[in-house]
Amino acid sequence: MKVRQAYRFALEPTPAQERALQSHAGAARFAWNWGLSKCKERYDAEGTWYSAMDLHRLWNRAKKADPALAWWGENSKCAYQEAFRDLGRTVADFVKSKKGERKGRRLGFPRFKKRGRCRDSFRFGAGVMRCAGSTVTLPRLGTVRTHESTRKLARRLESGTARILSATVSRTARRWFVSFTVEVERAVPNRHVRPGSAIGIDLGVKTLLTGVDERGNVVTADGPKPLRASLRRASRAHSRKQPGSANRRKHAARLARIHVRVANVRADALHKATTSLAARYETVVAEDLNVTGMLANRKLARAVADQGFGAARRMLGYKTTWNGGRLLVADRWYPSSKTCSACGWRKPSLTLAERSFTCEACGLVIDRDENAARNLLDLAASGAESLNACGAQVRPGVAGHRVTKQEPGTPGGQDRDRQQATAGCGTGAYSCSLIRNGAH
């Protein structure tokens, strides 16, 4: 099974190489702004846009005719080409969004990039790209040292089970990184090592996730909550500094390093939790809830962002596939927290302050997250109900698989054919137990 993966390494360039990296990032930013101005000029005159190929042709003519662009040869041609491709995709997405042909939130028109206000980044789509030991080789930049070993990717390249498609170089918190997009041949098992195993998981802010498996075991994973622990004092100190001062720039750099550390801690916890679930259970059932709407709630946004619900859903999507399992996604309006997992009685309303569920029909008293996980687990065995259903849910059911017809409240896409999914096939940021007072 061929999938696309990313391998990211921190770079340790020499001073000359760092100047070359900055030059390439500036060239990509200039190409974006140059192409965007050309698109605006044509739209004002003709009511249409330039494609990425059109911009490339215009650039090839302009760089030879305009003496002010004589510096273009100092950087790789890929920096300009990939910037035009990014701009072309962005403009196309904007047009589709404006016409209502693109799902998701409404996109605005592309903006010009300003030095110091945008992310320094550029991409190589062709040329010599390889890695060995603690070094990587990139076009025009040569061999650059890396902070960690690249042997994991190097071994795949040597054995012929991986092929580098592109390399994106970016700067985060004053540190340069290279991310290789690689096509990898993965050996995906036909069956899971534990066939028939299943778990329903409910994500929350108290704990990262609460799950109940087919044997009735309760599985919990505590989230590190790095945002709450690390950022508040540094953010306040930065806000008190005079805008434009050297002291503010120093604290901005410190704040950026803290953000990187927070992201790394969160990603580490999510990878460990989702890898364990995908390896131990063939079927994982989760909810499809509107995390974007949850982030709009100023009282919940920090807690939701600190746990990384969307990343957890995305990771489960491709990791279950890699292990021969599947991810089932319950309907967005399925009242998992309000429904009694013992008798099926539904509570009219359940506020966020109520951390336990009390059934007025059978008298069951249970933690609300565990109750939701048990209800989600029951959906793993409800595939028979989908045979006589009258329609499929709007969003995908099994991550990376086609949807099937279903009854309201059952997980969509319980497709026994199990089409091969690719890496990173998650469908977005959706999760758990914070909007049950509204959505549930």
Side-chain angles (χ1 to χ4, degrees):
M1 174 184 177
K2 290 186 177 181
V3 299
R4 289 192 177 185
Q5 291 181 232
Y7 289 82
R8 188 168 183 255
F9 305 104
L11 299 177
E12 292 186 348
T14 64
Q17 289 174 335
E18 186 165 3
R19 288 192 296 270
L21 292 172
Q22 294 173 351
S23 178
H24 277 74
R29 182 174 61 249
F30 178 87
W32 171 283
N33 293 337
W34 185 89
L36 184 55
S37 64
K38 294 297 181 182
C39 286
K40 284 192 170 185
E41 291 175 4
R42 186 178 185 185
Y43 184 79
D44 293 338
E46 304 175 17
T48 186
W49 312 97
Y50 285 118
S51 66
M53 187 60 67
D54 296 332
L55 290 173
H56 191 202
R57 293 193 187 100
L58 289 174
W59 171 254
N60 285 338
R61 291 196 297 265
K63 69 184 183 183
K64 298 176 182 178
D66 189 354
L69 300 178
W71 52 266
W72 72 270
E74 299 174 3
N75 307 291
S76 171
K77 62 180 181 181
C78 291
Y80 310 99
Q81 293 173 355
E82 298 299 330
F84 294 144
R85 289 174 183 171
D86 291 342
L87 178 59
R89 283 191 293 266
T90 304
V91 171
D93 289 341
F94 164 73
V95 174
K96 290 180 181 179
S97 179
K98 189 176 181 180
K99 294 180 179 179
E101 300 174 357
R102 184 183 185 276
K103 295 181 181 180
R105 63 182 180 85
R106 190 74 172 266
L107 296 181
F109 187 75
R111 298 181 179 180
F112 291 99
K113 295 183 178 181
K114 184 178 180 180
R115 180 182 179 183
R117 296 295 184 89
C118 67
R119 187 184 186 192
D120 288 337
S121 175
F122 59 94
R123 184 167 59 251
F124 296 109
V128 178
M129 295 176 286
R130 59 174 178 263
C131 58
S134 295
T135 62
V136 295
T137 302
L138 300 172
R140 295 297 298 271
L141 299 174
T143 301
V144 185
R145 291 187 59 188
T146 58
H147 183 70
E148 62 265 84
S149 175
T150 64
R151 63 179 180 271
K152 187 173 183 180
L153 175 57
R155 288 173 181 173
R156 286 186 176 272
L157 295 174
E158 292 174 0
S159 63
T161 59
R163 181 171 64 94
I164 295 178
L165 303 178
S166 65
T168 301
V169 182
S170 61
R171 183 167 61 175
T172 302
R174 295 188 177 181
R175 177 154 230 176
W176 290 94
F177 297 85
V178 60
S179 178
F180 292 105
T181 302
V182 184
E183 187 178 67
V184 179
E185 185 69 33
R186 294 189 65 93
V188 178
N190 294 326
R191 297 193 65 186
H192 196 273
V193 293
R194 295 182 60 202
S197 58
I199 187 172
I201 62 169
D202 182 85
L203 302 177
V205 294
K206 296 294 183 181
T207 58
L208 177 59
L209 63 87
T210 301
V212 178
D213 62 19
E214 79 284 355
R215 298 180 180 178
N217 299 322
V218 179
V219 179
T220 60
D222 294 328
K225 301 178 182 178
L227 189 64
R228 179 182 303 176
S230 305
L231 199 62
R232 182 172 298 177
R233 180 174 296 179
S235 297
R236 289 178 177 175
H238 174 260
S239 66
R240 288 194 292 265
K241 302 301 179 289
Q242 182 68 27
S245 65
N247 210 15
R248 188 178 179 89
R249 288 193 298 271
K250 181 180 69 175
H251 278 77
R254 175 171 175 259
L255 193 60
R257 290 193 296 271
I258 294 176
H259 272 290
V260 171
R261 184 165 63 247
V262 166
N264 291 339
V265 171
R266 182 186 301 117
D268 179 70
L270 290 174
H271 274 295
K272 289 178 179 177
T274 54
T275 298
S276 176
L277 289 174
R280 293 168 59 188
Y281 300 102
E282 180 184 28
T283 302
V284 180
V285 188
E287 290 179 298
D288 179 18
L289 298 179
N290 185 11
V291 169
T292 302
M294 297 161 65
L295 293 175
N297 186 332
R298 59 183 298 271
K299 296 182 179 180
L300 300 177
R302 179 182 290 271
V304 173
D306 207 7
Q307 295 287 53
F309 294 160
R313 162 75 180 277
R314 178 183 58 82
M315 292 176 185
L316 284 172
Y318 65 82
K319 289 182 181 181
T320 51
T321 303
W322 289 355
N323 286 272
R326 59 177 180 171
L327 171 66
L328 299 184
V329 183
D331 184 79
R332 175 170 295 187
W333 306 109
Y334 177 65
S336 59
S337 295
K338 295 180 181 180
T339 303
C340 178
S341 57
C343 66
W345 175 80
R346 183 178 299 181
K347 193 170 185 177
S349 63
L350 186 67
T351 64
L352 291 174
E354 299 178 65
R355 301 312 305 170
S356 63
F357 176 88
T358 303
C359 180
E360 298 179 6
C362 66
L364 174 69
V365 179
I366 189 174
D367 179 80
R368 62 177 292 161
D369 293 342
E370 181 181 343
N371 179 66
R374 291 184 181 276
N375 286 324
L376 292 171
L377 175 63
D378 292 340
L379 295 183
S382 63
E385 298 180 5
S386 66
L387 298 178
N388 299 322
C390 58
Q393 67 181 18
V394 176
R395 300 195 65 85
V398 182
H401 297 226
R402 62 178 181 268
V403 294
T404 56
K405 293 184 177 181
Q406 60 166 6
E407 292 290 353
T410 61
Q414 298 183 15
D415 192 334
R416 301 298 180 183
D417 294 338
R418 292 186 184 175
Q419 293 179 323
Q420 298 294 346
T422 58
C425 59
T427 55
Y430 299 94
S431 153
C432 87
S433 59
L434 291 180
I435 61 173
R436 292 183 178 127
N437 189 29
H440 290 169

